Amino acid sequence: MGQTMAEKVLSRQNITGEPVHAGDVIDAKLDGLMVITYGKVRALYRKLGFPDGPPKVFDTDRVFLLNDHVQPGIKLEVAQQAYDSKLDANRLDITNFRDSEMGICHQMMLDYGYVRPGELVVGNDSHTISYGAINAASTGMGNTEIAYALAFGELFFSVPETIKVVLRGSARPYPFGKDVILYLAGQYGDSFAQDKSLEFVGSAADAMDITSRLTIADHAVEVGAKFGFFRADDKTREFVDARGIRPYQTVEADPDAEYGQTVEVDVDDIGFQVAKPFRFDNVVPVGETSGVRIDQARIGSCANGRFEDIEIAARMLRGRKVAKGVKFYIAPASQTVYLECVRAGLIETLLEAGVQVQQPGCGICQTPQIVLNEEVCITATTRNYRGRFGGATSSEAQVYLASPATVTAAAIAGEITDPSELLNV
Amino acid sequence: MSNLTTAHRGRAWKFGDSVDTNQLAGGGLVAETMNETLRINCLRGLRPDFTEHVAEGDILVAGKNFGCGSSRQTAVEALQLCGVSVTLVESVARIHRRNSIALALPLFVVPGITELVNDGDEIVVDYPNRVVRDLTTGAGLPLATLPPSVEQIYEAGGLLQVIGARLAQEGITPPRPQRAG
Ligand code: SF4
């Protein structure tokens, strides 16, 4: 019987060496482990009686210890966490350690070539799944599982069933990755891939750049998926080779692989999409939200903080201004992305238009001004759940999700609007 | 609280679909300790009276896609701090399911549970007999058997205990506390 991408990677990594199929529960060896919020992992070892943190790691080269999420450490616990992680990286000989760097862990995993196609990689953040864009089987876990994996380099997996998502059409130049995944969520619901693996194939998937693939793979978790694969092609190889990544073995599904379901979408038909509050699947075509007045706009995060995302905003804002009364925040996903944007002159354009450029990293999900219950925000970030931008005390704040183009158009108009005109479609 | 070998009885607190980890472990109110902050914000955005009235041993019932969103282990911890003894859901987001196992908070996927149970009903979750019963209405539903690897983690009291045991097997034990003088 043929195998899906997930079945192939998990067969390769299965501790017993047996080939696996959907439904099997196995222990698998990890190729890589990304660890963030290290203080919490370390605290678990302290609970076990190890005052200095973990006594061992499974592989000093395949543990990626990154201090991200809340940088710089202006809170004591964050600064302490960075300090402790430096001590432990030293003591445990962890070669790939990034100390308090302003960037999103997932972007750093890509920028620094820590993740390779065909690998099984786990991290303690749900958007670890995004590396599927470069053909890796990657997924998020909680801190205790990460603490386990840190010492032993293995975890139990139930081998997932796979949904094949065929993206037809050209996907050029629009809609964007964000519109595609929002459309899928709107059609099939925010748990349609619960516990499943997704394989994105078809002409539009092939035509997409890595940035759009990353947006889609990142959001695979927003529809419940365990993995979200794209095939490895020349673009993938160019991307990873540019980062000097060592030998890797890409993964391809067999022609006779068994799929639980096949879903087909012609992306040329879907247009721009918006997720209304408070769910990722509360999706409508942009036209149905036009005229909704906004107070805040954001672009960034592991979903939409890459050069191509920011370039769209800059292109649309050239010679224009952010509407009066709107706060428009944009944050590059990492230092590397920031530098690319600076070199291309994008940051100057954004500042001239009145955008508040934020430091790179997860801050775009946390530090721009809280969205109050009375306010509306449109954002090209990851989530529009209640209280996402302010916690339980601002659970009525209206957060809309959309692509960077739709967000930028709204920031210029002061209300949600179809971006086609500004994009010169 | 953490084992599967006894029945749990408590009041049902019922929630809808797609309760995300922001609702379970989000910020908002600030208390003195981190645990207390977690506890007082738990589900507050959806139901402001929850943390005030939930009692030790109560049972959470929710719809589809429970625990979606960020991979917050604190989402499970918040429920445990509120005293929740079991979670029964129509379906669950995978990271939240794994976190519940790792922290040994029994969680069962029970299709039809939101039909069976009304908010405030008295219910019994009896894993040894593979059944959940609504004592208020007398109706019941079966519980599925968990995979052996998952049962073992619950039996150990959580994955942390498994880490300790495996390290000990490798001859790695915590250092003895130094005596003063
Ligand atoms: S950018 Fe936002 S969603 Fe992405 S990892 Fe950081 S905090 Fe999470």
Side-chain angles (χ1 to χ4, degrees):
Chain A
M1 188 178 16
Q3 288 183 309
T4 61
M5 293 191 198
E7 288 168 339
K8 281 209 174 156
V9 174
L10 288 172
S11 295
R12 201 192 278 166
Q13 299 307 118
N14 187 5
I15 292 203
T16 66
E18 301 274 310
V20 303
H21 284 284
D24 296 345
V25 178
I26 60 157
D27 287 315
K29 225 161 61 62
L30 304 177
D31 290 303
L33 176 72
M34 183 198 71
V35 184
I36 60 162
T37 51
Y38 179 67
K40 294 193 174 150
V41 178
R42 194 175 201 260
L44 291 170
Y45 277 97
R46 291 176 66 92
K47 247 194 197 169
L48 278 179
F50 296 94
D52 300 325
K56 63 175 272 206
V57 296
F58 78 100
D59 184 336
T60 53
D61 289 331
R62 301 310 293 164
V63 170
F64 309 105
L65 180 56
L66 310 171
N67 281 318
D68 83 324
H69 264 69
V70 268
Q71 295 305 329
I74 53 164
K75 279 195 188 156
L76 188 61
E77 68 193 70
V78 177
Q80 187 69 48
Q81 165 169 286
Y83 181 80
D84 291 341
S85 61
K86 191 155 64 177
L87 283 186
D88 288 8
N90 225 350
R91 174 174 58 85
L92 296 163
D93 255 339
I94 295 172
T95 36
N96 297 307
F97 166 59
R98 295 277 158 180
D99 185 2
S100 303
E101 188 169 315
M102 289 187 290
I104 300 165
C105 54
H106 307 303
Q107 188 60 32
M108 292 195 264
M109 288 292 285
L110 298 163
D111 288 345
Y112 298 128
Y114 291 162
V115 53
R116 302 182 282 219
E119 289 189 336
L120 180 62
V121 178
V122 162
N124 50 344
D125 185 88
S126 60
H127 291 113
T128 304
I129 194 168
S130 59
Y131 323 146
I134 62 161
N135 192 237
S138 59
T139 197
M141 305 258 181
N143 292 327
T144 307
E145 296 210 84
I146 294 302
Y148 185 90
L150 186 65
F152 308 115
E154 55 191 55
L155 280 170
F156 82 87
F157 284 83
S158 28
V159 181
E161 201 176 80
T162 295
I163 303 177
K164 188 197 262 191
V165 182
V166 185
L167 304 176
R168 298 204 185 289
S170 63
R172 282 228 166 125
Y174 323 112
F176 301 99
K178 189 73 149 209
D179 300 300
V180 174
I181 189 71
L182 285 177
Y183 178 82
L184 284 166
Q187 289 296 304
Y188 301 102
D190 69 358
S191 55
F192 90 95
Q194 194 75 270
D195 259 342
K196 309 239 163 79
S197 174
L198 292 170
E199 287 180 17
F200 297 97
V201 298
S203 54
D206 294 343
M208 268 175 203
D209 59 15
I210 298 288
T211 286
S212 267
R213 293 181 193 176
L214 280 162
T215 304
I216 293 176
D218 194 65
H219 280 308
V221 71
E222 265 71 60
V223 292
K226 179 179 293 184
F227 303 129
F229 289 99
F230 278 78
R231 298 175 54 210
D233 60 8
D234 289 347
K235 282 180 223 167
T236 319
R237 279 180 272 275
E238 197 186 304
F239 182 91
V240 296
D241 293 347
R243 283 151 184 82
I245 294 177
R246 290 180 295 163
Y248 52 88
Q249 204 183 340
T250 59
V251 63
E252 180 79 86
D254 290 324
D256 58 342
E258 267 188 44
Y259 293 92
Q261 193 186 345
T262 299
V263 162
E264 299 202 25
V265 177
D266 191 327
V267 301
D268 294 339
D269 292 343
I270 67 178
F272 301 104
Q273 306 287 314
V274 174
K276 301 196 291 182
F278 296 102
R279 285 174 57 151
F280 193 80
D281 61 0
N282 192 11
V283 174
V284 294
V286 64
E288 287 184 32
T289 54
S290 32
V292 173
R293 181 198 55 79
I294 63 155
D295 301 283
Q296 238 192 63
R298 301 185 188 193
I299 295 177
S301 83
C302 49
N304 287 107
R306 301 190 179 81
F307 178 84
E308 290 77 4
D309 297 308
I310 296 170
E311 193 278 326
I312 291 163
R315 201 191 320 154
M316 293 170 71
L317 282 163
R318 203 158 287 137
R320 298 193 176 94
K321 292 271 182 226
V322 174
K324 224 173 151 208
V326 171
K327 295 178 283 287
F328 191 4
Y329 302 104
I330 297 184
S334 67
Q335 301 272 75
T336 310
V337 172
Y338 196 11
L339 183 57
E340 270 181 89
C341 294
V342 169
R343 287 197 173 130
L346 306 184
I347 302 299
E348 189 177 341
T349 307
L350 297 179
L351 292 173
E352 274 173 359
V355 172
Q356 303 191 41
V357 178
Q358 306 279 293
Q359 66 188 27
C362 290
I364 194 74
C365 285
Q366 302 148 8
T367 45
Q369 192 161 313
I370 284 172
V371 184
L372 296 172
N373 283 333
E374 301 80 358
E375 292 185 311
V376 178
C377 173
I378 185 162
T379 181
T381 53
T382 52
R383 291 176 173 137
N384 61 344
Y385 300 144
R386 274 180 194 280
R388 176 73 179 173
F389 295 146
T393 42
S394 66
S395 60
E396 291 307 318
Q398 304 287 302
V399 179
Y400 292 74
L401 282 176
S403 78
T406 306
V407 169
T408 306
I412 294 169
E415 57 184 47
I416 301 179
T417 178
D418 190 307
S420 305
E421 210 176 298
L422 291 174
L423 278 165
N424 302 319
V425 172
Chain B
M1 183 170 85
S2 59
N3 71 54
L4 298 174
T5 50
T6 53
H8 301 269
R9 176 176 177 164
R11 174 206 196 279
W13 291 83
K14 201 168 139 183
F15 290 84
D17 292 343
S18 298
V19 173
D20 63 90
T21 55
N22 266 64
Q23 309 313 318
L24 294 163
L29 303 178
V30 179
E32 260 192 20
T33 64
M34 263 168 38
N35 277 356
E36 188 57 9
T37 302
L38 257 185
R39 192 188 69 78
I40 59 177
N41 284 300
C42 185
L43 294 166
R44 187 171 173 275
L46 293 173
R47 207 160 161 177
D49 65 330
F50 176 69
T51 55
E52 233 177 279
H53 298 296
V54 65
E56 191 68 37
D58 280 357
I59 291 162
L60 201 90
V61 174
K64 283 187 261 177
N65 204 19
F66 184 73
C68 60
S70 310
S71 71
R72 301 180 189 192
Q73 193 167 289
T74 44
V76 180
E77 289 164 13
L79 291 173
Q80 289 175 321
L81 289 166
C82 287
V84 169
S85 64
V86 188
T87 312
L88 303 172
V89 296
E90 295 283 348
S91 76
V92 61
R94 58 165 285 280
I95 298 176
H96 189 76
R97 174 172 55 84
R98 293 191 70 121
N99 282 339
S100 299
I101 298 165
L103 292 179
L105 175 65
L107 178 144
F108 298 100
V109 174
V110 188
I113 192 69
T114 50
E115 291 262 312
L116 182 87
V117 174
N118 296 308
D119 187 68
D121 285 359
E122 189 75 10
I123 57 178
V124 172
V125 182
D126 182 357
Y127 183 70
N129 290 306
R130 304 288 193 272
V131 67
V132 48
R133 244 175 234 306
D134 187 319
L135 299 180
T136 311
T137 63
L141 276 173
L143 290 176
T145 298
L146 300 168
S149 54
V150 171
E151 279 188 343
Q152 277 163 23
I153 296 173
Y154 278 115
E155 273 153 28
L159 190 61
L160 194 61
Q161 281 63 33
V162 180
I163 298 176
R166 186 159 171 190
L167 284 173
Q169 263 175 26
E170 293 181 6
I172 304 173
T173 49
R176 285 172 191 279
Q178 300 288 313
R179 285 218 186 132

